[in-house]
C-alpha cells in the first residue's frame, strides 16, 4: 500500500452495526513535539461525540471502529512526523474493549530524534532591494528541527514578497535538501 497523506485517510463509519465497537476514547501517548489536536486531524479514527459518550444521550455523531483504517492511520501519523523532521518515528496501535460495544483506541508513538537544520541558503536574491529582510523573515531557522511545512511556507512567503515588489515572474525552484540519516542533519538550498 502507498503512503497516505494526513487528512486523506477516509471517512469513519457513523452507523454502528450489530457487533461493531463504538470508539469511546481515543488517545495518543508518547507525543511531545506534536499536540493531540494535530495528530487527531491526521487520522480517520475519531471518537464518538462528547454528549453521546459521557451522558449516553443520542446527541452528536456516533463513531465506530474500522480496524481496516488503523494501518492507514499509522501511515498518516508517520507521514506527518516525517514532514515535521522526525524520520525515526514509530507508531503502534492498541484497541481495548470498554464494556459492551465500546472501545478505547491508543496510538503509542516513539518520536525518535529530530533532524536538525544545519544550513539554509537562498540563492539568486543578489541585487534585489531588501533581500536581507526576505531571508531574515524565514520561519525555519538553522539549529531548529527541520520541518518541511515551514520550508514550503518560507518559499511561498519569499515568492509572494518578490511578486509584491514588482518581480511578477519571480518563482523559486523546489528546494534541494540533503538529509544525513546517520547524523540527523539537514541542509537546504533553493534558488
Amino acid at each position: 500500500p502507498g503512503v497516505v497523506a494526513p487528512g486523506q485517510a477516509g471517512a469513519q463509519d457513523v452507523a454502528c452495526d450489530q457487533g461493531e465497537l463504538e470508539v469511546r476514547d481515543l488517545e495518543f501517548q508518547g507525543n511531545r513535539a506534536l499536540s493531540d489536536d494535530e495528530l487527531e486531524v491526521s487520522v480517520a479514527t475519531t471518537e464518538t461525540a462528547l454528549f453521546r459518550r459521557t451522558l449516553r444521550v443520542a446527541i452528536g455523531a456516533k463513531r465506530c471502529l474500522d480496524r481496516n483504517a488503523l494501518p492507514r492511520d499509522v501511515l498518516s501519523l508517520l507521514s506527518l512526523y516525517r514532514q515535521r523532521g522526525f524520520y525515526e518515528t514509530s507508531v503502534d496501535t492498541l484497541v481495548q474493549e470498554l464494556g459492551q460495544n465500546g472501545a478505547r483506541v491508543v496510538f503509542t508513538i516513539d518520536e525518535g530524534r529530530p533532524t536538525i537544520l544545519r544550513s539554509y541558503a537562498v540563492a539568486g536574491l543578489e541585487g534585489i532591494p531588501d533581500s536581507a529582510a526576505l531571508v531574515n523573515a524565514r520561519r525555519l531557522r538553522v539549529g531548529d528541527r527541520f520541518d518541511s511545512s515551514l520550508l514550503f511556507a518560507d518559499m511561498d512567503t519569499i515568492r509572494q514578497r518578490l511578486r509584491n515588489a514588482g518581480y511578477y515572474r519571480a518563482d523559486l525552484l523546489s528546494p534541494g535538501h540533503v538529509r544525513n540519516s546517520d547524523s540527523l542533519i539537514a541542509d537546504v538550498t533553493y534558488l
Side-chain angles (χ1 to χ4, degrees), residues 114-129:
T115 298
I116 303 301
L117 184 63
R118 178 174 59 186
S119 66
Y120 188 8
V122 181
L125 297 177
E126 299 80 13
I128 295 178

Side-chain angles (χ1 to χ4, degrees), residues 133-149:
L134 287 173
V135 172
N136 290 334
R138 295 177 298 186
R139 294 175 57 197
L140 185 59
R141 303 272 181 204
V142 170
D144 288 349
R145 174 175 37 94
F146 175 75
D147 185 327
S148 62
S149 62

Side-chain angles (χ1 to χ4, degrees), residues 42-118:
S42 297
V43 297
T45 303
T46 56
E47 58 192 359
T48 292
L50 182 64
F51 282 121
R52 191 177 281 271
R53 281 183 289 129
T54 57
L55 302 176
R56 305 277 185 227
V57 179
I59 298 174
K62 185 176 186 179
R63 306 286 185 202
C64 297
L65 179 62
D66 179 355
R67 290 183 187 272
N68 294 325
L70 293 177
R72 292 188 303 267
D73 287 345
V74 168
L75 290 175
S76 291
L77 291 170
L78 290 172
S79 177
L80 176 64
Y81 268 97
R82 285 187 180 109
Q83 288 173 6
R84 301 295 178 85
F86 289 90
Y87 294 90
E88 297 180 338
T89 300
S90 63
V91 178
D92 197 8
T93 57
L94 171 68
V95 176
Q96 295 176 322
E97 291 194 24
L98 297 176
Q100 187 177 13
N101 301 326
R104 173 178 180 238
V105 178
V106 180
F107 290 96
T108 304
I109 300 165
D110 180 356
E111 293 178 335
R113 299 174 298 161
T115 298
I116 303 301
L117 184 63
R118 178 174 59 186

